[in-house]
Amino acid sequence: MSKLNDILIRAGRGPLSLPDATDRLKTSLAEYVSQKTIDTGNERLVTFSAELEKIDELTWLQNQSVFPRIFWMNRDRDDVAAGIGKADSIVYDEEGPNSESFLFLQRNLDRKPHGERYFGGCSFNNQQKKEKDWDPFHSLCFILPQVQICRNNDGSQLKAHLYIPEGADPEEASSGLQKTLDSISLSTTCSASVLPDTDDISYKPAREKWIETCTAVLNTFREGFMGKIILARQTHLTFRTPFSPLLFLLNYPFPESSTYRYYFEPEKNRAFFSFTPERLYLRNHDSLMTEALAGTCSKDTLPDGNIDACRHLLNSEKDIREHRFVRDTIASELGPICSEIDMEENVRALQLNNLVHLYTRFRAILKPGSENDATVLTSLHPTPAVGGVPREQALEQIIDLEPFSRGWYAGPIGWISKERAEFAVGIRSALANNRHVFLYSGAGLVNGSSPAAEWDEVEQKIGDMLAITRQTV
């Protein structure tokens, strides 16, 4: 394999306005390609970067017409990325255990010594048959955008990535990036900001079937076959006209809520997006952070709001038991791959807009040989908060009991690089296909659960997205 050259060209220091930063990237690209001494043999990645004045990344993304389009914001809101186009990608479409797709991802990433991030996601269960609405989404897909805006505590950057395959002519390879840069809209306002009206809303399964299925599952718990399972529901919204799914993020009404914001649009008006509160893990070399998040209470169902909801949740025997399943299972999954594990002794309450969750944080050091994402993903996904206990039995039951394909719902979503990665769990999410949007959320069943109460909990969990559409829970 040829050596990959990782070249960083700082096109401008500023910070610069969006028009000036864009012009600097175009000029730097043209100057690089015009060099007569460029080696045309080796594969390489050339990154052009300019400091950028702070702008609204979502508005910038909405104004762009190049696909795919991606957006990422972490829970602390200090790591933001908006990208367009595809400079490079890692794609897997074979059926089989998720461990095989994770290994494929790792092997391809190992061939890319540069430190740039690839954004994407993968299926919850790669052994489940996909439905037609998931066609644009591969079993696993991670993309290095052609152009992206990145923002962290150090400020904002406009970046362009030129990937030159081995033996390719740099000028020919640069034509796609040049076309994307030329197409960039410099507008700072959005023309369309409101979602169209809905014509219809339906549920899969319907409430009667949900209660019937949950009751049957609870009977198996009493017989000792399983300890916990998460069953999901699909809410199908039909809108009057097609629209950009990015409007869901642009109209999210709770900007201070402790959730990730994730968006992946491989082609126009076909997108998967999530407002998930749950981190799967954050890896920095051999240092790992993860968490157990399970147990839910709605503030709207209690008279005194936040304080009552937290107190109620921390004293709920059913929710504490559900949380313990997840916490103890994650601790046991970390054991074989970690040399040090520090688990918080006290359970915390994570407050969102109208919900409160129980969560426990873990910090760990990965063992030599395990400090890679294929190992961590295989060990942690799916957590008992989206699958169940025992894991394999729960996965089989989910396929048998849920009347739809989960696709990327509840799968790992986020970004990955050679030395660092962060993944969230793709819950509180939706799949958009022109006029049709499918909302996904689930509830954890343990012995003592009420099927009717779990239906109501699923309603509460998609309440934020329904509020955007002017529907009510």
Side-chain angles (χ1 to χ4, degrees), residues 273-379:
F273 55 93
S274 173
F275 302 100
T276 174
E278 185 175 356
R279 169 185 282 164
L280 183 60
Y281 70 86
L282 171 66
R283 182 181 71 86
N284 187 357
H285 297 267
D286 64 350
S287 177
L288 188 73
M289 293 178 61
T290 186
E291 63 194 29
L293 190 144
T296 304
C297 179
S298 171
K299 302 173 188 177
D300 295 340
T301 62
L302 299 169
D304 293 327
N306 293 359
I307 296 175
D308 246 19
C310 292
R311 184 185 300 122
H312 173 85
L313 197 57
L314 292 167
N315 288 281
S316 165
E317 187 275 336
K318 178 261 181 185
D319 288 292
I320 291 292
R321 182 156 39 88
E322 180 183 348
H323 183 79
R324 189 178 299 123
F325 267 118
V326 177
R327 184 197 64 191
D328 294 349
T329 301
I330 290 177
S332 67
E333 290 168 341
L334 290 174
I337 65 172
C338 296
S339 57
E340 300 176 23
I341 302 174
D342 179 16
M343 181 180 71
E344 290 181 330
E345 293 184 7
N346 297 322
V347 178
R348 295 170 175 259
L350 178 67
Q351 298 191 29
L352 307 179
N353 169 52
N354 67 329
L355 296 174
V356 179
H357 296 293
L358 295 176
Y359 85 115
T360 300
R361 297 189 298 192
F362 293 80
R363 293 180 181 270
I365 301 298
L366 293 163
K367 292 178 180 178
S370 295
E371 63 272 53
N372 65 82
D373 294 292
T375 297
V376 180
L377 285 167
T378 300
S379 298

Side-chain angles (χ1 to χ4, degrees), residues 68-337:
R69 303 194 297 185
I70 64 98
F71 182 82
W72 163 267
M73 178 187 287
N74 69 351
R75 202 165 54 189
D76 296 326
R77 301 185 295 278
D78 59 4
D79 178 23
V80 181
I84 59 173
K86 180 178 68 176
D88 189 26
S89 64
I90 302 173
V91 175
Y92 184 82
D93 247 340
E94 302 296 325
E95 290 187 8
N98 279 55
S99 57
E100 293 181 2
S101 60
F102 298 152
L103 187 59
F104 177 88
L105 173 64
Q106 189 67 54
R107 287 172 175 167
N108 278 269
L109 198 68
D110 287 344
R111 300 189 184 105
K112 305 176 188 299
H114 62 83
E116 294 297 329
R117 300 191 292 181
Y118 287 69
F119 297 86
C122 52
S123 298
F124 170 78
N125 184 351
N126 203 31
Q127 293 178 300
Q128 183 180 40
K129 183 176 176 61
K130 290 193 301 184
E131 295 168 339
K132 187 173 179 59
D133 286 303
W134 290 102
D135 281 353
F137 298 85
H138 302 280
S139 300
L140 177 149
C141 183
F142 286 84
I143 287 173
L144 174 67
Q146 281 183 314
V147 179
Q148 69 184 64
I149 294 176
C150 304
R151 173 165 56 85
N152 55 30
N153 291 328
D154 295 326
S156 298
Q157 288 184 316
L158 182 66
K159 301 174 72 174
H161 297 118
L162 172 62
Y163 169 69
I164 305 175
E166 182 176 0
D169 178 71
E171 188 170 358
E172 291 182 7
S174 70
S175 60
L177 176 56
Q178 185 65 59
K179 184 177 179 180
T180 297
L181 287 170
D182 288 339
S183 75
I184 287 179
S185 169
L186 303 177
S187 174
T188 56
T189 59
C190 285
S191 55
S193 59
V194 178
L195 276 71
D197 292 332
T198 53
D199 274 341
D200 186 58
I201 180 169
S202 61
Y203 306 97
K204 189 183 287 187
R207 190 175 190 275
E208 182 178 345
K209 181 63 175 177
W210 168 274
I211 291 177
E212 176 186 322
T213 301
C214 290
T215 301
V217 168
L218 291 172
N219 288 334
T220 69
F221 290 167
R222 286 187 278 274
E223 296 167 5
F225 292 124
M226 284 179 41
K228 176 182 180 180
I229 189 172
I230 283 69
L231 291 183
R233 191 190 77 189
Q234 181 191 81
T235 302
H236 180 187
L237 303 176
T238 302
F239 291 81
R240 291 184 181 176
T241 58
F243 64 98
S244 168
L246 197 58
L247 290 177
F248 271 91
L249 273 71
L250 283 161
N251 286 279
Y252 187 63
F254 311 108
E256 301 304 315
S257 185
S258 297
T259 60
Y260 291 86
R261 274 72 144 183
Y262 173 87
Y263 187 84
F264 190 93
E265 187 178 11
E267 57 187 63
K268 186 177 181 179
N269 294 348
R270 305 287 295 271
F272 177 78
F273 55 93
S274 173
F275 302 100
T276 174
E278 185 175 356
R279 169 185 282 164
L280 183 60
Y281 70 86
L282 171 66
R283 182 181 71 86
N284 187 357
H285 297 267
D286 64 350
S287 177
L288 188 73
M289 293 178 61
T290 186
E291 63 194 29
L293 190 144
T296 304
C297 179
S298 171
K299 302 173 188 177
D300 295 340
T301 62
L302 299 169
D304 293 327
N306 293 359
I307 296 175
D308 246 19
C310 292
R311 184 185 300 122
H312 173 85
L313 197 57
L314 292 167
N315 288 281
S316 165
E317 187 275 336
K318 178 261 181 185
D319 288 292
I320 291 292
R321 182 156 39 88
E322 180 183 348
H323 183 79
R324 189 178 299 123
F325 267 118
V326 177
R327 184 197 64 191
D328 294 349
T329 301
I330 290 177
S332 67
E333 290 168 341
L334 290 174
I337 65 172

Side-chain angles (χ1 to χ4, degrees), residues 419-439:
E419 303 294 349
R420 299 173 64 243
E422 182 166 15
F423 286 94
V425 181
I427 57 175
R428 320 290 162 82
S429 54
L431 172 68
N433 180 0
N434 290 292
R435 293 175 56 233
H436 302 276
V437 176
F438 304 91
L439 310 181

